[in-house]
Amino acid sequence: MDYLEILQSFLACSSDYQNSNYPNENLSISNLSLSDEQTIDSPTFSDSIKQFTLFGGDKHKNRLKEYLEECRRSDPSFPSWESITSNECFVDKYGFKYNKPNECALIHYICQQLSLFYKSQPKIQDDILWEKRLREWKKSLYPSAEVKFSIRSGILAKHRSDFWKLCINRQIDDIKKSKGPNYYQFLCNLSTDLPKDIANFDHQIYLDLFRTLPNNVKFCSKYSQGISQLQEVLRAFCLYNPRIGYCQGMNFIVGIALLFLEPEDAFWCLVAITEKFLLPHYFDSGLVGAQSDQFYLKYLIELKLPDLHHHLKKLDVDISTITLNWFMALFIDALPFETMLRIWDCFLFEGTKILFRFSLALLWMHKNFLLKHTDTISLFKAIKYSVSVTFDVEELSKIAFSGLKPFPKRRDIQNKQKLFFKELTTKWQKKKFTNISNFCNEAENIQDLRISCACFVNEKEIWICSGKQSEGNVILANIDTGKMVVQDLTTNCKVLCMVYLEDYKMVLMGLLSKELVAYDSHMKQLLWSIKLKESILHISSVRDEHKFYKLYCALANGYLTYIEFNSSSQPCDIFDIKVSNNPINYIEQITDSKNHCINLWLASVNEVFVLDQKLLKNESKFEVAENQYGPILMLKESKYGVFLSIKDSSVLHLYDVNTHICKLLFDLRLNIKLNTEIDDDFSFSKSRLSCYASFDDLVLVGTGDGFLYIYSIEKYAKKKVDKYHKKFSLITPLHRHNNSKRNFSIGPLLLGKILEKKAKIRRNSSLPSVLNKADCKQSLTKTKSFGFLNTLISQGCIKNFSPYWAINNKEMKNFDFNMDLVTKVKISDHPVKCILRKK
């Protein structure tokens, strides 16, 4: 039974369809056979739906329901008729959300989805054939006529990811070999000590994050995994190629790639597009490469579509106003998604020539409709709309590869491109433009031999790790002699973090290559090495009284790896716990009064996850920043709470360990306390925080311009003014008496008058019901509040007073904090990397 033929037959029952410009044998569910005058939202098309209902009654709707139910039996994720018609938002297989506003669009969508479903059900022999093709293409992918025909006919959906990776690696294999292994992880884990020109790209990236595919579940909110992956890939590309940095349109390219590829593959996809497929200077400030292609496209329009070229010239319309975005965004948001995917399949294999083919095919396909518009605005709207409803990808492909013959050869296209590119480059160079970076062109030179981490191994020695992507070095520093000696100890890639286990004389290092390695701190020899699931961004260890160590490793994939040690030998039991969809940047231990670890605070992008140290159960989480633009740099516990800061910010936060409320915001750049955080993340600050540590009542802060600031923490009682009583409230004098050691007297008043307002007083200052008794409504004359409270207790009037006392004790512990600068010292011209405390 041919489902497509059945669906086509009842679509063709409408007289409008029968009188359309397309032959009946070419009717398909995917294009709906709309005539040039018809659009989905136009009155003509609405009439056709009415006739569709009139000629068939409910017969065809019932058949649609039957086919939908049959599809759902094979794929339960397929939307039901009820969910579609009830105006609910439903999600397709790519994660896009839909909510069709009227019956016209609804009928169209259902028929299209049914068509795509049946077309996507491959026969067993087709699936086997594609698996065989991919195996052969992995060995050798030569653009023969047979290979081109297979790809142009459409890639099976289940094999699209593998095919895209194959095409991308084929283009950038030489680049990947020159960069070495773990290059993408290296870019993602670079520190914040970056040139200003590169850091400033973050602003535009942030602005475009939530504009990228907002109707897709992977990118629909700031907590979506796709948002953090998109930001990660775009930042990595800015480091890889600071000459280009970030250009609007890249976010859509990476967003589509992330629907089918892992973040690392999406990064290399962007590299291949910008450096292999497209001309140079395609995305930089001059857009010379993109403009060159537009000149050649106009040449092809004049050659292949002379009547349309004459029409555009007559109206003085520059077609590149629309087509430039087709090329720079690779038809994203211009075409229906399935049609766009066919173009991407061909483009990743054949290159830029495909963009010219399909651009001409689209204009050819809708030529008659476009020629009817005689003013500029209506013509622009007609082009955009007609392209947006090009659902018939088979017909479009037929025009692109057969209807435009003879099409210029690849060599002729490249020669013309070079000619236009040379002319535009000469003009562009005459104009004033600034090279965006006087720094190095590649990210590894930015961070070649910078310190990555350090730790004490005994009272006198510090191990310092430095290096770059493909190598890590260990430097031994003696704090007594002040000498640093490079050790004959290297790793195969950059060391991201390290920790020292004193009882076993063992140093553990987390590497970029996902390895956890152990070295003997005395003999400087490798003890063992194990590979974890992802790169290790931070390590923290907890020791109990039996010399038993618990190791916590923060991974780049959002997992927390738990490892137990009872000796220096390689551990056997390793446990992975999913914490976040985003990388875990930092782990900090929260201790009690006996210095026992009770909680772990894990920083992941802009969120802090609080885990019970023993059970590793997620107790709570809270958000530090309102957006994911600035991830958390680090966390540091102090006697007053937990200090944290945001990447590239000069503001230091202090959070309460119990309530998770921010108690202090202090801007080092302005040297003032803030009531609310300012948006300084959008500007590159030399005074940005690079590291900090707390020692008793002091906070030591290292900055990006090489200064070390030493601040003292000031704690003082909050001034609380009762809205109704003001200074006559019992809370105020009690609070002041207990914390400032001052006596506070209140004038003559009746306690009963105070109690009448107790329902309106804030909750923490309300009095117990026992004080409502008549014998308690006594007059107070110059009575000290603290003595008055003791008097009430001694008289037995407030024997149930403990809840009130507990609440107000908690209230008394609410202090305000401030920071006072003690001194600052210029340490270096480079950012201060870490601050260690001698044990």
Side-chain angles (χ1 to χ4, degrees), residues 585-598:
N585 306 322
Y586 208 90
I587 304 174
E588 182 65 4
Q589 301 176 23
I590 307 301
T591 57
D592 58 15
S593 57
K594 297 181 180 180
N595 205 31
H596 294 157
C597 180
I598 54 174

Side-chain angles (χ1 to χ4, degrees), residues 278-279 282 289-297 327 352 356 417:
L278 302 177
L279 290 172
Y282 220 89
Q291 292 185 54
S292 301
D293 280 352
Q294 295 308 301
F295 275 98
Y296 185 62
L297 178 62
F327 279 65
T352 315
F356 293 112
Q417 282 179 308

Side-chain angles (χ1 to χ4, degrees), residues 479-495:
I479 60 176
D480 287 344
T481 63
K483 294 182 178 180
M484 299 174 65
V485 181
V486 179
Q487 302 296 299
D488 187 19
L489 191 159
T490 60
T491 58
N492 61 0
C493 64
K494 185 179 179 180
V495 180

Side-chain angles (χ1 to χ4, degrees), residues 744-757:
F744 187 85
S745 300
I746 55 178
L749 65 132
L750 289 176
L751 184 59
K753 294 294 183 182
I754 298 177
L755 298 176
E756 288 177 4
K757 300 291 186 180

Side-chain angles (χ1 to χ4, degrees), residues 151-170:
I151 296 169
R152 291 172 179 179
S153 300
I155 305 294
L156 288 185
K158 64 180 293 185
H159 297 298
R160 179 167 280 117
S161 297
D162 292 334
F163 174 73
W164 282 15
K165 284 191 286 187
L166 187 64
C167 293
I168 293 164
N169 291 329
R170 171 172 167 258

Side-chain angles (χ1 to χ4, degrees), residues 11-58:
L11 277 175
C13 71
S14 167
S15 60
D16 282 333
Y17 289 133
Q18 293 171 352
N19 297 327
S20 66
N21 292 341
Y22 294 93
N24 284 341
E25 60 269 18
N26 291 332
L27 284 172
S28 68
I29 306 304
S30 56
N31 69 34
L32 276 183
S33 302
L34 298 181
S35 65
D36 289 335
E37 293 79 7
Q38 289 178 312
T39 67
I40 294 176
D41 297 317
S42 68
T44 308
F45 187 76
S46 299
D47 292 341
S48 70
I49 294 295
K50 293 176 182 178
Q51 293 181 31
F52 164 81
T53 304
L54 178 63
F55 283 110
D58 291 331

Side-chain angles (χ1 to χ4, degrees), residues 356-584:
F356 293 112
R357 279 188 177 276
F358 277 96
S359 295
L360 283 176
L362 284 167
L363 296 174
W364 181 295
M365 191 173 188
H366 303 290
K367 179 180 65 174
N368 294 335
F369 179 52
L370 300 180
L371 291 174
K372 295 178 181 179
H373 295 271
T374 57
D375 65 275
T376 304
I377 301 300
S378 65
L379 182 59
F380 279 152
K381 289 182 177 180
I383 295 174
K384 287 185 177 181
Y385 185 81
S386 60
V387 169
S388 69
V389 293
T390 308
F391 295 98
D392 192 355
V393 63
E394 301 300 337
E395 181 66 19
L396 181 65
S397 297
K398 183 178 179 181
I399 296 173
F401 298 114
S402 301
L404 298 174
K405 290 183 178 180
F407 199 79
K409 300 293 183 182
R410 185 179 303 275
R411 183 177 298 176
D412 297 333
I413 294 176
Q414 291 174 348
N415 290 336
K416 280 287 187 180
Q417 282 179 308
K418 290 178 182 178
L419 178 62
F420 288 121
F421 181 78
K422 185 177 180 180
E423 293 178 359
L424 287 172
T425 303
T426 303
K427 295 179 182 178
W428 182 53
Q429 287 176 343
K430 291 179 181 179
K431 298 179 180 180
K432 180 181 178 181
F433 84 99
T434 304
N435 187 358
I436 66 165
S437 181
N438 293 322
F439 301 94
C440 48
N441 284 328
E442 299 206 356
E444 57 263 31
N445 294 328
I446 299 172
Q447 295 283 328
D448 265 352
L449 297 173
R450 299 283 178 90
I451 293 173
S452 57
C453 54
C455 72
F456 271 99
V457 295
N458 55 51
E459 292 184 354
K460 297 182 179 180
E461 293 183 337
I462 302 174
W463 277 32
I464 302 172
C465 290
S466 65
K468 51 185 180 180
Q469 173 199 350
S470 58
E471 183 181 13
N473 303 291
V474 174
I475 302 171
L476 185 62
N478 189 298
I479 60 176
D480 287 344
T481 63
K483 294 182 178 180
M484 299 174 65
V485 181
V486 179
Q487 302 296 299
D488 187 19
L489 191 159
T490 60
T491 58
N492 61 0
C493 64
K494 185 179 179 180
V495 180
L496 300 179
C497 52
M498 62 192 306
V499 69
Y500 177 59
L501 305 187
E502 184 178 2
D503 294 317
Y504 307 137
K505 308 299 179 186
M506 182 170 62
V507 177
L508 298 176
M509 299 180 182
L511 305 185
L512 186 66
S513 59
K514 309 177 186 179
E515 290 178 287
L516 178 67
V517 297
Y519 284 91
D520 187 299
S521 63
H522 179 66
M523 303 300 294
K524 314 293 190 301
Q525 293 179 348
L526 178 66
L527 297 177
W528 48 263
S529 173
I530 56 177
K531 195 153 189 174
L532 303 185
K533 288 185 174 182
E534 255 298 346
S535 298
I536 307 166
L537 305 185
H538 196 247
I539 299 177
S540 182
S541 64
V542 176
R543 176 187 181 276
D544 64 12
E545 61 273 12
H546 304 294
K547 297 183 180 180
F548 183 83
Y549 281 92
K550 299 177 181 179
L551 191 72
Y552 305 96
C553 301
L555 304 188
N557 61 356
Y559 277 80
L560 179 70
T561 297
Y562 172 73
I563 306 174
E564 295 180 346
F565 290 91
N566 55 13
S567 68
S568 60
S569 59
Q570 180 173 334
C572 298
D573 296 328
I574 300 176
F575 305 95
D576 294 308
I577 302 166
K578 180 72 172 179
V579 176
S580 172
N581 291 326
N582 304 307
I584 303 174

Side-chain angles (χ1 to χ4, degrees), residues 208-257:
D208 290 343
L209 281 179
F210 304 105
R211 302 171 184 169
T212 308
L213 309 181
N215 61 330
N216 190 282
V217 294
K218 194 170 183 177
F219 302 93
C220 62
S221 76
K222 61 183 178 181
Y223 301 109
S224 301
Q225 186 178 18
I227 292 293
S228 60
Q229 291 177 346
L230 176 64
Q231 186 179 40
E232 178 184 277
V233 172
L234 293 175
R235 279 178 169 172
F237 184 80
C238 289
L239 290 168
Y240 166 78
N241 194 335
R243 182 183 60 81
I244 295 178
Y246 173 73
C247 176
Q248 287 181 312
M250 289 182 177
N251 56 316
F252 291 102
I253 294 174
V254 175
I256 294 297

